[in-house]
Amino acid sequence: MAKRRIFLEDIPLDEARAKLQAALASAGKAAPLPGEPVPLDEALGRVTAAPARARLSSPHFHCAAMDGYAVSAASTISARETRALPLRLGSEAFPVNTGDPLPDDTNAVIMIENVNQADESTIMIYAAAAPWQHVRLMGEDMVASETVLQVNHELRPVDLGALAGCGHQQVNVRRKPRVLIIPTGGELVPIQQQPERGQLIEYNSLILSSQIRDAGGDARATAIVPDDESALSAALSNATASNPDLILILSGSSAGSHDFTANAIKALGEALAHGIAVRPGHPVIIGIASGIPIIGVPGYPVSAALTGELFIIPLIRQWLGLTPPAAATVDAVATQKIASPIGDDDFLRVALAEIDGSLQATPLQRGAGVITSLVEADGLAHIPRFHEGVDRGGTLMVSLYRSLSLIKHTLLIMGSHDPMLDLLATHIRLRASSRRLVSINVGSVGGLIALRRGEAHIAGCHLFHPESKRYNVPYIQRYLPDEPIELVTFAQREQGLILPTGNPKGIRSVADLRGLRYINRQRGAGTRVLFDHLLAQHQLAPADISGYEHEEYTHLAVAAAVADGIGDCGMGLRSAAEAMGLEFIGVTWERFDLAIPKRRLENAGIQALLDLLRDDDFKRELGAQSGYRSDDTGRVVATL
C-alpha cells in the first residue's frame, strides 16, 4: 500500500510566489519569451516582442483630403467673392478625388462644392486657397522609421490597421507560452464519455486550458493518468521531454493515499512548496524539473480555477511581457457574517447587486467542488491573511468578473427556490440584454429577512400559515411590519412527495413516512413549513421521521438525494421529481408569491419584471410547465 503523505509546509501566498520566481530566475525562465513573425490577420491579441517601426510614411505622398481641384495657392490670390477667378483645367486646376496624389506644382485643394464650371475647360473660384488646405501631407500620420507600437504591446484591431498602413505585412510577437496539462484520477472520464456511477467527468483541464488561452497562452491536455505512482512518473517524464514552458498536474496534490504528485516531481526535480495558505486551493504544489516549472493543481474545480487565477495566469502574462491582470475592484457590503481561517488568504465568490444605493455582496456556496459558484459569481472577494473574517455589514474588497454596469442593472430575488425563476430570468435577458435577474436560495423566511435588511430587491415566498389557512401574508406582517409591501403572485405550483421509481416502499401519504428515510428542506423553507403542518395533521412529530434533520436547499437537491438512494422520500415540486425521472404523489397546490417593497415599484427593473409577469406569452409558457399554473401570475394578491 502506498505510504500516506502529509503537506510539506503551509507557506504564505507571497512566499510561494517568490519561491516560484526565484526558481524561474535560476533556470533562466523568468524573462519574457522570444518573438516570432506572424501575419497581421493572425496577430490580434498577440504581444509585440520588439518595437514596430514604420516602413513607409503614411501617407507616403502628398494627397488630396477632399474631392475637388488641385491648384497652386499662389495662382488663386486674386480670387474674390465679388470677382470670380477663372482657372484652366489641365494647366491651372486639376480634378482630384480624396486620396489622389497631388499633381506636380500644386499645393492646395479647392472643394468641388466651392467652384462653378464655366465651360468644359474652365472653372470659376470665389476665394483664394491657402497653401496646403485640404491636403494630407506626406507622413502626416506616420513617418518612415518612427516607432508605431512599443514592445510588450497587446495588439488591438486599430494597431493592426496602423501596422498595415505603414508598410507591414507581419509583426514580431512573443511566442505563446506552451502549457502541458496532465489530468489524473482513476474515477475520471473524458468529456466525450458518458460517466457511470462512481465516475466523474474530467473538466478541470478544460477550465484551465481556457484560462490559459484567454491569457494568451497555448494549452494541451494529455490523456487521463490513473492513480498510479509509476504511471504518473512516466507521464511527467514524457511531459518534460516535450519541453513545454509549464506543466500542470491536476489532482493528486493533497495528502491522500492516491496523491502522488509531490513524489513524482521530487523524483525528477525539486518540490519548492506543498501546501499554500490560501482557501480554497490549500494543497497547491510548486516544483521545477529540467528547468520547467510544475504546478500541482488541486482537484476540486473551485480550487483549480483559483489556482489558475493566482499562479497560472500571472505566469502566462509574465512570459508575454505583460503586467499581471488587474481586475476592476469595488468595495461592497457583506450581507452576512463571513468567518475566515486567520492564517490563510481567503477568497470567496460573491453575487453583487446595488440595493438602495449600496453595493451588496452575498457569498455563494463555498464548497470547493461547487462549480456553479464559478458560473454565478459576479466577483471574487479577498479576505487577507491574519483577518478573522468580516461581520455582516462590513466591507469586502471585490474583484469584478462582470461589468459594474450590468451589476447595477441586476434585480436580486432572495428567498425560496423555484426552477421557473430561471425562465423569468431568461425572458428578462431576451427583452433587455442590459438587465439581469439573479435569484439566491435562502428559504422563504430567509428571503423576507433579507428584504427587511435591505439585502434584496424582492423576496420569493410560499409560506403556508396553518391557523389562518393563508399563504405568505401573516409571515410578511410578522417579519416586515414596517415595510409597505405589494404581494404579487408568480405562479401556482404543485407540491408533493418525491419517491423512487416504482415507489418500492408503497408510500401513499405523509402518514406512511414513519420509520422511512426522509430528505427534508432547511429551516425557514416554505416546503418545510408545509411538511411540518402535514405532520401535525397526521399526528406525527419530527422525532418520528428518520432523516428529519437531513436538510437540502433546493427541490432538485431533494430529488437528487432520492434518486441516489440516500432517502426513501422527500417533499418538493412535481417538476423536480420529473427532472430526475422519479415518482410523484401530489399533496397540494400552493401559491408562490413575490414580495416587493412599495418604495421600489417605480424602479425600472421591477416595472419590467411586472410587465413580463402580465405578458400573455410568458404566462402561457410558464403555465405549460409540468406542475405549474399561471392563471394568477402577475396579480396583486395583497397590499400590506
Side-chain angles (χ1 to χ4, degrees), residues 73 168 185 187 197-198 210 229 303 314 375 391 412 415 451 484 581 619:
H168 288 273
E187 77 283 10
R197 183 176 176 82
S210 298
E229 189 163 3
S303 300
V375 176
D391 290 329
L412 179 61
L451 207 59
K619 292 176 67 172

Side-chain angles (χ1 to χ4, degrees), residues 32 111 189 224 256 266 317 322 374 493 516 556 576 583:
M111 293 191 296
V189 297
I224 298 168
K266 288 191 289 185
R317 291 181 67 87
L322 300 173
L374 302 177
R493 57 188 203 169
L516 301 183
L556 289 171
E583 300 284 329

Side-chain angles (χ1 to χ4, degrees), residues 10-11 131 152 170 367 391 445 466 485 572 620:
D10 187 11
I11 64 174
N152 296 338
Q170 59 185 22
D391 290 329
V445 171
I485 294 291
R620 192 177 301 113

